[in-house]
Structure formats: structure tokens, C-alpha cells
């Protein structure tokens, strides 16, 4: 069944028309609205929202939804199309709708090893070209042979337009082989972005809590740089989880910035220097941060994000104050 114009109403009262020909996420984008999302393939769950009223149809498998979430009426807007008028519990993210993804050429300006399995890649763009983005967002890099992978941008916008990415080697990964064995300065690539809605929010609470595992620290670094430039009055907490001390491959905190920074190890004994044992979400609870007055930004493994959201909401965090970007496997 199709219609010329079904109406989708959001929790903030905003509406958009839906033809049923595109998934809800794209219908909203076409109407100039931005709904929460990241991977756009049903795997990360960031676009999950409650279907308050109406009927939808499934366009692709909602693999990240649990059986309990399905039964409670949750859907993924990147996987569903309208089948009538709808009411969704999601809201428009305002200014993010102004950051339209585009594809453009970029050259490698620098390749620097942070660790045996982590590389910093610096990109430059042609004169007069610039990618507009919000700190926290990611982009797709299109490389040799059409290889395409997603990477978070690891710096706040700069006057020279340069971008930095943190690349972790993936065993057997085709793009990893390029980055770590074949890439050279001045190689020509294409990028498509910005993508995702992981970014700082105007309604953020006084305590900003950043959780990261692995190279999930990259967008956190970008957001911290933006906050440093804005001279923020928020109380900042950063928890970076790794398996061993080598996983904390650099200091993500801008010089002189007042940040409560904690390194957490899951598979090695605490060894001083601010390290703790365990997991980042438990470290937050151990520090007794007032979660009712906190906004959480989590980036890294899918397992960490799901565990952190459940644990922190259980202890007083409002669900709308948990924002995430999960690193999911490539197709």
C-alpha cells in the first residue's frame, strides 16, 4: 500500500510527509529534519525509537533490536517505511540537518603510527573545498578498488580544513592491509560525509560523561577540542577503556583543559598512572557521578554501548541523555 502523503508526527510536535517509498530516516532527511542515527543498516541500533501509533513495513532486517524491544513497540527508522500516518517518540535534531553529506576527493597528508595496530591518518582537501561537520560525526573513506569503510573524525573543525582519522588494524581486513602496508603520502582517496548524529547537544546536562573503547576515543577527542574552544562550563569526565595499557595510545585531553580523565583496563591488572580495572560503565558508577544531571556520549564497541546504556539508565540516567555511536562490523 502506498499514499501520496502520510504524516509522521514526532515527540517535539514536528511533522514530515512520508510516501512509503523510502525508509523513515531518509523521508525525514528529505523533509529537512534529522533523526538520531549512525550506521543506517540496522546493525548499530542508534536510530531506535518507539512507534507510538500507526503501521510500518520492514524494508531491511532490524538486527540490533532485541525481542523485548520488538514486543515493546520499538522500531529502527533506517529499516522501516510508513504504511499510514505515524506517531514516533523521536525528535528532530535541528542544526544537524544542515550538514549535508557530500563526496569529495582528499589526499593523504600524513601517516603516523600511534601503536603497532593504530595509525593516525591526516587528510587534506583541494583548495576551496571543505567538509562541514559537527565534532563527533564520521565519514566514509572510499579507497582503492572501491573499498569503503567508516571512520570517526578525530579533530574539531580547523581553519585549514584538515581532518585526522584513527585507524585500527583489523586482522584480515582489506582496508587495513591498505592503510598499514600500502598507503603513501599524497595517495588520492574519496570521502563521503559527514555522517551520523553523534555530536554535542544544546540540551546537555551539567556533567558531560564520555565513554570510549579502542579508537572510539577519536570522536571524543574532537568533541573535547570543540568544548575547549568554547570555554565550556560543563564538568567533563572521560573514561577510556582498553584491554592492556598499550591500548591507551595517546592523551586525548587538550592541554590545560579541566577534565576528569580515567583509563580503564579490562584484561590487565591496574598499574598506576590513573588506570583502573574493569569496564567504563562501572567506573562511572564507582565515581558516583549524579546521573540525573548528566549527559553521556559513548563510542566504541557495540557490547560496551549496550551494557553502558542499560547500566547507567538503571542508575538514574535519563534515556534521552545517552548518545552513542557503535562500531559495527563492515558488510
Amino acid at each position: 500500500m502506498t499514499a501520496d502523503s502520510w504524516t509522521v508526527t514526532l515527540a517535539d510536535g514536528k511533522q514530515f510527509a512520508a510516501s512509503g517509498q523510502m525508509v523513515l530516516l531518509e523521508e525525514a532527511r528529505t523533509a529537512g529534519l534529522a533523526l538520531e542515527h549512525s550506521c543506517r543498516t540496522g546493525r548499530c541500533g542508534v536510530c531506535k525509537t518507539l512507534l507510538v501509533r500507526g503501521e510500518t513495513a520492514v524494508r531491511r532486517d532490524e538486527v540490533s533490536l532485541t525481542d523485548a524491544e520488538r514486543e515493546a513497540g520499538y522500531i529502527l527508522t533506517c529499516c522501516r517505511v510508513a504504511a499510514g500516518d505515524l506517531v514516533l517518540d523521536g525528535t528532530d535534531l535541528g542544526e544537524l540537518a544542515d550538514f549535508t553529506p557530500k563526496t569529495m576527493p582528499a589526499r593523504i597528508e600524513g601517516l603516523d603510527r600511534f601503536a603497532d595496530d593504530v595509525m593516525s591518518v591526516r587528510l587534506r582537501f583541494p583548495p576551496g573545498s571543505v567538509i562541514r561537520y559537527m565534532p563527533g560525526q564520521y565519514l566514509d573513506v572510499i579507497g582503492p578498488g572501491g573499498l569503503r569503510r567508516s571512520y570517526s573524525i578525530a579533530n574539531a573543525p580547523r581553519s585549514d580544513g584538515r581532518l585526522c582519522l584513527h585507524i585500527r588494524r583489523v586482522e584480515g581486513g582489506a582496508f587495513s592491509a591498505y592503510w598499514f602496508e600500502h598507503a603513501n603520502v599524497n595517495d588520492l582517496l574519496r570521502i563521503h560525509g559527514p555522517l551520523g548524529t553523534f555530536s554535542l547537544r544544546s540540551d546537555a546536562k551539567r556533567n558531560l560523561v564520555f565513554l570510549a573503547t579502542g579508537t572510539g576515543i577519536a570522536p571524543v577527542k574532537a568533541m573535547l577540542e570543540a568544548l575547549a574552544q568554547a570555554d565550556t562550563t560543563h564538568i567533563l569526565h572521560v573514561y577510556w577503556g582498553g584491554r592492556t595499557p598499550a591500548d591507551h595510545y595517546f592523551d586525548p585531553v587538550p592541554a590545560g583543559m579541566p577534565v576528569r580523565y580515567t583509563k580503564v583496563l579490562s584484561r590487565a591488572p591496574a598499574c598506576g598512572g590513573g588506570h583502573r580495572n574493569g569496564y567504563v560503565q562501572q567506573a562511572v558508577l564507582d565515581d558516583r557521578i549524579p546521573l540525573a544531571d548528566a549527559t553521556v556520549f559513548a563510542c566504541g564497541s557495540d557490547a560496551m554501548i549496550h551494557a553502558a546504556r542499560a547500566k547507567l539508565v538503571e542508575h538514574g540516567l535519563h534515556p534521552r541523555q545517552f548518545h552513542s555511536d557503535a562500531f559495527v562490523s563492515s558488510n
Side-chain angles (χ1 to χ4, degrees), residues 6-242:
W6 284 316
T7 300
V8 180
T9 303
L10 303 177
D12 55 11
K14 295 185 179 181
Q15 297 180 324
F16 61 92
S19 66
Q21 301 304 302
M22 295 186 292
V23 294
L24 292 165
L25 183 64
E26 291 304 313
E27 299 269 27
R29 184 192 63 79
T30 300
L33 303 179
L35 300 182
E36 199 90 55
H37 70 278
S38 183
C39 76
R40 300 159 293 151
T41 62
R43 295 173 295 153
C44 73
V46 170
C47 71
K48 178 178 65 180
T49 189
L50 183 66
L51 176 61
V52 178
R53 186 168 65 251
E55 295 294 329
T56 63
V58 178
R59 274 287 175 85
R60 64 167 66 94
D61 190 11
E62 297 169 300
V63 293
S64 63
L65 285 183
T66 65
D67 290 341
E69 288 170 335
R70 296 173 197 270
E71 292 176 5
Y74 284 93
I75 65 170
L76 300 183
T77 61
C78 75
C79 296
R80 296 266 185 156
V81 298
D85 291 341
L86 304 176
V87 177
L88 302 178
D89 191 41
T91 58
D92 173 38
L93 299 181
E95 64 178 318
L96 276 167
D98 296 332
F99 292 83
T100 304
K102 60 182 179 180
T103 302
M104 56 193 300
R107 288 195 182 275
I108 296 176
E109 184 177 70
L111 297 160
D112 303 298
R113 289 289 184 99
F114 275 134
D116 288 343
D117 61 347
V118 179
M119 180 179 290
S120 169
V121 177
R122 289 177 282 118
L123 301 177
R124 71 175 189 273
F125 298 92
S129 298
V130 65
I131 176 173
R132 293 180 61 251
Y133 66 96
M134 293 282 283
Q137 290 187 287
Y138 72 94
L139 52 77
D140 284 351
V141 176
I142 306 164
L147 287 172
R148 187 180 188 122
R149 296 292 184 270
S150 300
Y151 301 102
S152 295
I153 302 171
N155 60 280
R158 296 171 28 151
S159 59
D160 61 10
R162 263 58 167 182
L163 297 184
C164 181
L165 311 175
H166 291 187
I167 312 293
R168 182 176 293 279
R169 183 194 294 270
V170 176
E171 190 65 32
F175 223 142
S176 286
Y178 167 72
W179 290 123
F180 285 85
E181 300 170 22
H182 305 294
N184 291 298
V185 171
N186 285 327
D187 278 3
L188 180 64
L189 306 168
R190 287 182 295 150
I191 67 96
H192 179 75
L195 299 168
T197 55
F198 190 59
S199 63
L200 297 167
R201 305 299 170 89
S202 59
D203 66 347
K205 302 294 186 179
R206 178 161 175 73
N207 288 276
L208 299 188
V209 181
F210 297 92
L211 308 180
T213 54
T215 53
I217 198 66
V220 171
K221 173 181 175 288
M223 289 190 279
L224 289 175
E225 289 179 356
L227 289 167
Q229 294 168 10
D231 194 23
T232 182
T233 59
H234 290 284
I235 301 172
L236 307 177
H237 314 260
V238 174
Y239 296 85
W240 187 9

Side-chain angles (χ1 to χ4, degrees), residues 307-326:
R309 189 180 195 281
K311 180 74 73 174
L312 299 181
V313 168
E314 176 188 347
H315 285 79
L317 180 74
H318 193 288
R320 288 192 185 277
Q321 294 297 329
F322 185 91
H323 307 290
S324 64
D325 193 12

Side-chain angles (χ1 to χ4, degrees), residues 234-308:
H234 290 284
I235 301 172
L236 307 177
H237 314 260
V238 174
Y239 296 85
W240 187 9
R243 296 180 179 182
T244 68
D247 288 332
H248 299 119
Y249 52 81
F250 82 124
D251 185 350
V253 179
M257 192 176 191
V259 177
R260 300 176 182 179
Y261 172 41
T262 303
K263 294 173 280 188
V264 184
L265 299 175
S266 63
R267 296 192 180 181
C271 57
H275 287 90
R276 291 196 213 166
N277 282 337
Y279 298 97
V280 289
Q281 60 269 22
Q282 186 58 50
V284 172
L285 297 179
D286 291 344
D287 285 347
R288 300 184 180 277
I289 295 171
L291 293 176
D293 192 25
T295 298
V296 174
F297 297 91
C299 187
S301 70
D302 188 55
M304 179 276 284
I305 287 172
H306 279 84

